[in-house]
Amino acid sequence: MSSSSGNSSGTTGTTQLQNWSSEEELQQMMMAERKRKRMQSNRESARRSRMRKQKQLDDLTAQVAQLREENSKIASTTYVATQHFLSVEAQNSILRTQMAELRQRLESLDDILKYINSFNGGFMESWSY
């Protein structure tokens, strides 16, 4: 009897070992599946991250191009305004010089008129009746 009970317990032990082995394999398969899903999810997340970075880079590149164009237009406008300012400043300098010359002529003419009037005043007095 002892041999039959030994055989039956040996058979149960083998079945339990097989069950345990099957459960372990099932757990390993489930872990492998979770790992595969996690890796796939990570790959997808990395792909989305690369796409976001590429879009940001593209947006920044477009913004740089736009700002360079705007900067060029502003620089051109500034250059034209500066040239106009220098031209107006030169004309203003010429006009100031002409004004100073005309002022001197006017003063000279006023002096001449005063001189003439000083003689005419005496001459006119002798003509009065």
Side-chain angles (χ1 to χ4, degrees):
M1 281 223 181
S2 70
S3 65
S4 70
S5 69
N7 282 345
S8 70
S9 72
T11 307
T12 340
T14 306
T15 307
Q16 286 176 346
L17 185 60
Q18 288 173 348
N19 286 343
W20 181 76
S21 179
S22 296
E23 286 179 27
E24 188 176 293
E25 286 176 9
L26 183 61
Q27 285 180 347
Q28 286 177 351
M29 286 174 46
M30 288 175 52
M31 287 176 58
E33 181 63 20
R34 276 186 263 165
K35 184 177 179 182
R36 187 190 65 74
K37 285 182 179 179
R38 190 171 53 248
M39 286 176 63
Q40 182 63 30
S41 175
N42 287 346
R43 283 186 189 118
E44 186 62 27
S45 177
R47 186 185 68 78
R48 285 191 309 266
S49 178
R50 285 189 303 272
M51 288 176 64
R52 275 193 309 272
K53 285 182 181 180
Q54 185 62 47
K55 184 180 182 321
Q56 286 176 335
L57 181 63
D58 292 345
D59 290 348
L60 289 174
T61 301
Q63 188 177 10
V64 164
Q66 177 189 358
L67 290 173
R68 282 187 176 155
E69 184 178 336
E70 192 176 324
N71 188 32
S72 177
K73 287 178 183 177
I74 290 171
S76 177
T77 302
T78 301
Y79 177 78
V80 169
T82 300
Q83 294 305 311
H84 183 69
F85 170 76
L86 292 174
S87 173
V88 169
E89 193 175 58
Q91 290 173 352
N92 196 18
S93 177
I94 291 168
L95 290 173
R96 282 191 178 131
T97 302
Q98 289 175 346
M99 186 177 74
E101 289 174 3
L102 290 172
R103 202 176 265 140
Q104 280 182 326
R105 283 185 184 178
L106 182 61
E107 287 176 6
S108 295
L109 289 173
D110 279 345
D111 289 343
I112 291 170
L113 280 176
K114 285 179 189 175
Y115 182 74
I116 291 173
N117 282 339
S118 69
F119 282 113
N120 279 346
F123 181 71
M124 292 302 269
E125 287 174 10
S126 64
W127 281 85
S128 43
Y129 299 105

mmCIF file of all heavy atoms in Angstrom, residues 69-93:
data_model
loop_
_atom_site.group_PDB
_atom_site.id
_atom_site.type_symbol
_atom_site.label_atom_id
_atom_site.label_comp_id
_atom_site.label_asym_id
_atom_site.label_seq_id
_atom_site.Cartn_x
_atom_site.Cartn_y
_atom_site.Cartn_z
ATOM 1 N N GLU A 69 13.030 88.474 -42.800
ATOM 2 C CA GLU A 69 12.415 89.301 -43.847
ATOM 3 C C GLU A 69 11.943 90.633 -43.265
ATOM 4 O O GLU A 69 12.179 91.699 -43.841
ATOM 5 C CB GLU A 69 11.234 88.548 -44.466
ATOM 6 C CG GLU A 69 10.588 89.289 -45.621
ATOM 7 C CD GLU A 69 9.448 88.504 -46.243
ATOM 8 O OE1 GLU A 69 9.431 87.265 -46.131
ATOM 9 O OE2 GLU A 69 8.570 89.149 -46.842
ATOM 10 N N GLU A 70 11.304 90.565 -42.116
ATOM 11 C CA GLU A 70 10.831 91.782 -41.445
ATOM 12 C C GLU A 70 12.009 92.680 -41.082
ATOM 13 O O GLU A 70 11.959 93.904 -41.267
ATOM 14 C CB GLU A 70 10.057 91.380 -40.187
ATOM 15 C CG GLU A 70 9.266 92.491 -39.557
ATOM 16 C CD GLU A 70 8.436 91.991 -38.375
ATOM 17 O OE1 GLU A 70 7.928 90.864 -38.428
ATOM 18 O OE2 GLU A 70 8.317 92.750 -37.393
ATOM 19 N N ASN A 71 13.080 92.080 -40.578
ATOM 20 C CA ASN A 71 14.275 92.833 -40.207
ATOM 21 C C ASN A 71 14.881 93.512 -41.436
ATOM 22 O O ASN A 71 15.309 94.675 -41.371
ATOM 23 C CB ASN A 71 15.302 91.908 -39.550
ATOM 24 C CG ASN A 71 16.462 92.659 -38.973
ATOM 25 O OD1 ASN A 71 16.332 93.781 -38.517
ATOM 26 N ND2 ASN A 71 17.618 92.036 -38.991
ATOM 27 N N SER A 72 14.901 92.797 -42.550
ATOM 28 C CA SER A 72 15.429 93.356 -43.796
ATOM 29 C C SER A 72 14.609 94.565 -44.242
ATOM 30 O O SER A 72 15.162 95.591 -44.649
ATOM 31 C CB SER A 72 15.436 92.283 -44.877
ATOM 32 O OG SER A 72 15.867 92.816 -46.093
ATOM 33 N N LYS A 73 13.277 94.441 -44.164
ATOM 34 C CA LYS A 73 12.406 95.555 -44.541
ATOM 35 C C LYS A 73 12.633 96.759 -43.623
ATOM 36 O O LYS A 73 12.701 97.899 -44.086
ATOM 37 C CB LYS A 73 10.932 95.131 -44.486
ATOM 38 C CG LYS A 73 10.520 94.224 -45.615
ATOM 39 C CD LYS A 73 9.072 93.793 -45.486
ATOM 40 C CE LYS A 73 8.678 92.825 -46.581
ATOM 41 N NZ LYS A 73 7.292 92.344 -46.419
ATOM 42 N N ILE A 74 12.749 96.497 -42.332
ATOM 43 C CA ILE A 74 12.968 97.585 -41.369
ATOM 44 C C ILE A 74 14.322 98.241 -41.630
ATOM 45 O O ILE A 74 14.445 99.472 -41.602
ATOM 46 C CB ILE A 74 12.861 97.065 -39.923
ATOM 47 C CG1 ILE A 74 11.413 96.706 -39.605
ATOM 48 C CG2 ILE A 74 13.387 98.094 -38.925
ATOM 49 C CD1 ILE A 74 11.213 95.983 -38.285
ATOM 50 N N ALA A 75 15.356 97.430 -41.894
ATOM 51 C CA ALA A 75 16.684 97.970 -42.179
ATOM 52 C C ALA A 75 16.649 98.832 -43.438
ATOM 53 O O ALA A 75 17.246 99.914 -43.489
ATOM 54 C CB ALA A 75 17.698 96.845 -42.326
ATOM 55 N N SER A 76 15.930 98.367 -44.451
ATOM 56 C CA SER A 76 15.806 99.129 -45.689
ATOM 57 C C SER A 76 15.076 100.449 -45.442
ATOM 58 O O SER A 76 15.514 101.508 -45.909
ATOM 59 C CB SER A 76 15.052 98.299 -46.724
ATOM 60 O OG SER A 76 14.855 99.037 -47.900
ATOM 61 N N THR A 77 13.982 100.388 -44.712
ATOM 62 C CA THR A 77 13.221 101.600 -44.387
ATOM 63 C C THR A 77 14.073 102.566 -43.574
ATOM 64 O O THR A 77 14.063 103.783 -43.822
ATOM 65 C CB THR A 77 11.942 101.231 -43.598
ATOM 66 O OG1 THR A 77 11.165 100.330 -44.380
ATOM 67 C CG2 THR A 77 11.123 102.449 -43.255
ATOM 68 N N THR A 78 14.838 102.041 -42.634
ATOM 69 C CA THR A 78 15.722 102.876 -41.807
ATOM 70 C C THR A 78 16.790 103.532 -42.675
ATOM 71 O O THR A 78 17.098 104.719 -42.507
ATOM 72 C CB THR A 78 16.379 102.019 -40.709
ATOM 73 O OG1 THR A 78 15.352 101.432 -39.913
ATOM 74 C CG2 THR A 78 17.277 102.843 -39.827
ATOM 75 N N TYR A 79 17.344 102.770 -43.619
ATOM 76 C CA TYR A 79 18.368 103.328 -44.503
ATOM 77 C C TYR A 79 17.793 104.473 -45.332
ATOM 78 O O TYR A 79 18.405 105.541 -45.443
ATOM 79 C CB TYR A 79 18.923 102.235 -45.420
ATOM 80 C CG TYR A 79 19.922 102.748 -46.414
ATOM 81 C CD1 TYR A 79 21.230 103.013 -46.030
ATOM 82 C CD2 TYR A 79 19.553 102.990 -47.734
ATOM 83 C CE1 TYR A 79 22.156 103.507 -46.946
ATOM 84 C CE2 TYR A 79 20.469 103.481 -48.650
ATOM 85 C CZ TYR A 79 21.762 103.733 -48.254
ATOM 86 O OH TYR A 79 22.665 104.223 -49.161
ATOM 87 N N VAL A 80 16.597 104.255 -45.907
ATOM 88 C CA VAL A 80 15.962 105.299 -46.718
ATOM 89 C C VAL A 80 15.675 106.530 -45.859
ATOM 90 O O VAL A 80 15.939 107.672 -46.275
ATOM 91 C CB VAL A 80 14.664 104.762 -47.377
ATOM 92 C CG1 VAL A 80 13.843 105.883 -48.001
ATOM 93 C CG2 VAL A 80 14.999 103.713 -48.423
ATOM 94 N N ALA A 81 15.155 106.312 -44.655
ATOM 95 C CA ALA A 81 14.847 107.430 -43.762
ATOM 96 C C ALA A 81 16.124 108.183 -43.373
ATOM 97 O O ALA A 81 16.136 109.422 -43.324
ATOM 98 C CB ALA A 81 14.127 106.930 -42.515
ATOM 99 N N THR A 82 17.203 107.448 -43.129
ATOM 100 C CA THR A 82 18.472 108.083 -42.765
ATOM 101 C C THR A 82 18.995 108.920 -43.929
ATOM 102 O O THR A 82 19.467 110.058 -43.736
ATOM 103 C CB THR A 82 19.505 107.012 -42.365
ATOM 104 O OG1 THR A 82 18.997 106.290 -41.243
ATOM 105 C CG2 THR A 82 20.834 107.626 -41.999
ATOM 106 N N GLN A 83 18.915 108.368 -45.151
ATOM 107 C CA GLN A 83 19.371 109.121 -46.327
ATOM 108 C C GLN A 83 18.528 110.387 -46.503
ATOM 109 O O GLN A 83 19.063 111.460 -46.810
ATOM 110 C CB GLN A 83 19.310 108.235 -47.581
ATOM 111 C CG GLN A 83 20.270 107.067 -47.556
ATOM 112 C CD GLN A 83 21.712 107.500 -47.325
ATOM 113 O OE1 GLN A 83 22.210 108.405 -47.987
ATOM 114 N NE2 GLN A 83 22.367 106.870 -46.381
ATOM 115 N N HIS A 84 17.235 110.264 -46.323
ATOM 116 C CA HIS A 84 16.349 111.434 -46.435
ATOM 117 C C HIS A 84 16.694 112.470 -45.370
ATOM 118 O O HIS A 84 16.761 113.670 -45.652
ATOM 119 C CB HIS A 84 14.887 110.996 -46.321
ATOM 120 C CG HIS A 84 13.904 112.106 -46.486
ATOM 121 N ND1 HIS A 84 13.699 112.759 -47.688
ATOM 122 C CD2 HIS A 84 13.076 112.702 -45.593
ATOM 123 C CE1 HIS A 84 12.795 113.697 -47.523
ATOM 124 N NE2 HIS A 84 12.391 113.676 -46.261
ATOM 125 N N PHE A 85 16.917 111.995 -44.148
ATOM 126 C CA PHE A 85 17.294 112.899 -43.054
ATOM 127 C C PHE A 85 18.580 113.645 -43.387
ATOM 128 O O PHE A 85 18.664 114.865 -43.195
ATOM 129 C CB PHE A 85 17.465 112.108 -41.754
ATOM 130 C CG PHE A 85 18.082 112.898 -40.639
ATOM 131 C CD1 PHE A 85 17.351 113.834 -39.932
ATOM 132 C CD2 PHE A 85 19.423 112.716 -40.314
ATOM 133 C CE1 PHE A 85 17.935 114.577 -38.913
ATOM 134 C CE2 PHE A 85 20.008 113.452 -39.306
ATOM 135 C CZ PHE A 85 19.274 114.384 -38.600
ATOM 136 N N LEU A 86 19.591 112.914 -43.882
ATOM 137 C CA LEU A 86 20.865 113.554 -44.218
ATOM 138 C C LEU A 86 20.681 114.584 -45.330
ATOM 139 O O LEU A 86 21.292 115.664 -45.299
ATOM 140 C CB LEU A 86 21.901 112.503 -44.617
ATOM 141 C CG LEU A 86 22.364 111.576 -43.490
ATOM 142 C CD1 LEU A 86 23.269 110.480 -44.045
ATOM 143 C CD2 LEU A 86 23.076 112.357 -42.402
ATOM 144 N N SER A 87 19.836 114.269 -46.301
ATOM 145 C CA SER A 87 19.560 115.210 -47.386
ATOM 146 C C SER A 87 18.879 116.469 -46.851
ATOM 147 O O SER A 87 19.265 117.591 -47.196
ATOM 148 C CB SER A 87 18.679 114.531 -48.432
ATOM 149 O OG SER A 87 18.268 115.452 -49.409
ATOM 150 N N VAL A 88 17.868 116.277 -46.023
ATOM 151 C CA VAL A 88 17.153 117.418 -45.442
ATOM 152 C C VAL A 88 18.090 118.232 -44.547
ATOM 153 O O VAL A 88 18.056 119.469 -44.562
ATOM 154 C CB VAL A 88 15.907 116.941 -44.656
ATOM 155 C CG1 VAL A 88 15.316 118.056 -43.823
ATOM 156 C CG2 VAL A 88 14.869 116.386 -45.617
ATOM 157 N N GLU A 89 18.945 117.553 -43.810
ATOM 158 C CA GLU A 89 19.895 118.251 -42.944
ATOM 159 C C GLU A 89 20.864 119.096 -43.777
ATOM 160 O O GLU A 89 21.174 120.235 -43.416
ATOM 161 C CB GLU A 89 20.662 117.229 -42.099
ATOM 162 C CG GLU A 89 21.435 117.857 -40.963
ATOM 163 C CD GLU A 89 22.076 116.790 -40.081
ATOM 164 O OE1 GLU A 89 22.859 115.976 -40.612
ATOM 165 O OE2 GLU A 89 21.790 116.798 -38.882
ATOM 166 N N ALA A 90 21.334 118.552 -44.913
ATOM 167 C CA ALA A 90 22.228 119.311 -45.801
ATOM 168 C C ALA A 90 21.504 120.525 -46.375
ATOM 169 O O ALA A 90 22.063 121.634 -46.421
ATOM 170 C CB ALA A 90 22.746 118.412 -46.915
ATOM 171 N N GLN A 91 20.240 120.326 -46.825
ATOM 172 C CA GLN A 91 19.456 121.448 -47.351
ATOM 173 C C GLN A 91 19.231 122.494 -46.269
ATOM 174 O O GLN A 91 19.302 123.702 -46.535
ATOM 175 C CB GLN A 91 18.106 120.955 -47.879
ATOM 176 C CG GLN A 91 18.203 120.140 -49.146
ATOM 177 C CD GLN A 91 16.863 119.541 -49.542
ATOM 178 O OE1 GLN A 91 15.887 119.618 -48.798
ATOM 179 N NE2 GLN A 91 16.811 118.930 -50.714
ATOM 180 N N ASN A 92 18.967 122.040 -45.061
ATOM 181 C CA ASN A 92 18.750 122.952 -43.939
ATOM 182 C C ASN A 92 20.011 123.776 -43.670
ATOM 183 O O ASN A 92 19.937 124.984 -43.416
ATOM 184 C CB ASN A 92 18.349 122.157 -42.700
ATOM 185 C CG ASN A 92 17.740 123.017 -41.620
ATOM 186 O OD1 ASN A 92 17.311 124.131 -41.875
ATOM 187 N ND2 ASN A 92 17.703 122.482 -40.412
ATOM 188 N N SER A 93 21.165 123.127 -43.749
ATOM 189 C CA SER A 93 22.432 123.831 -43.537
ATOM 190 C C SER A 93 22.632 124.896 -44.610
ATOM 191 O O SER A 93 23.046 126.031 -44.316
ATOM 192 C CB SER A 93 23.578 122.828 -43.557
ATOM 193 O OG SER A 93 24.806 123.487 -43.414
#
